[in-house]
Amino acid sequence: MKTIEVKNFKLYTTAVISIEWKQDFLNVNLDLAMMLKMMEMEGLTRQDIQKYSDNGQPIPFKKVVLKLFQDEDKPGQYYTDESFDEEDDPTVFYVEIKE
């Protein structure tokens, strides 16, 4: 297998992440800074995260509160592609971390 090493690149950290809440899966728009802040607020170490990752487990959060927006005054939910029907296309929620 051919190996390619990549150096001097730009990393875009806004991503659609799924959370499980009340037995539903919601797609949320989190960036790397937000995820790091959540892990810090939760008291998770790099080793904790590595353990969850190695075991293919989701990372549990009990201390962090996320605010998901649906109203008109702030950015809210959106669909990932306008060409899809609302039923077919996943909804993504804008998120803020509650301080």
Side-chain angles (χ1 to χ4, degrees):
M1 180 182 299
K2 184 178 178 180
T3 300
I4 300 171
E5 292 186 9
V6 179
K7 187 177 179 181
N8 295 324
F9 60 91
K10 294 180 181 178
L11 175 67
Y12 291 85
T13 62
T14 300
V16 174
I17 305 294
S18 293
I19 60 172
E20 184 179 2
W21 179 65
K22 294 186 176 182
Q23 299 181 357
D24 285 326
F25 283 92
L26 303 173
N27 297 314
V28 293
N29 189 353
L30 296 173
D31 63 25
L32 184 57
M34 292 172 75
M35 288 186 272
L36 289 171
K37 183 176 185 175
M38 290 167 54
M39 291 171 201
E40 181 180 298
M41 290 172 67
E42 196 68 28
L44 296 167
T45 65
R46 185 175 179 269
Q47 291 78 20
D48 295 331
I49 300 302
Q50 188 66 56
K51 181 184 76 173
Y52 289 115
S53 180
D54 290 347
N55 293 326
Q57 297 175 322
I59 303 166
F61 288 89
K62 298 186 188 280
K63 299 175 186 174
V64 175
V65 176
L66 298 178
K67 296 191 294 185
L68 283 62
F69 292 101
Q70 291 182 289
D71 61 6
E72 298 295 322
D73 298 330
K74 294 207 176 225
Q77 65 186 22
Y78 64 94
Y79 296 98
T80 56
D81 189 332
E82 291 179 7
S83 66
F84 282 96
D85 206 345
E86 288 185 9
E87 293 179 11
D88 297 331
D89 193 38
T91 301
V92 180
F93 291 91
Y94 284 104
V95 174
E96 285 182 7
I97 299 169
K98 185 174 179 180
E99 298 285 346

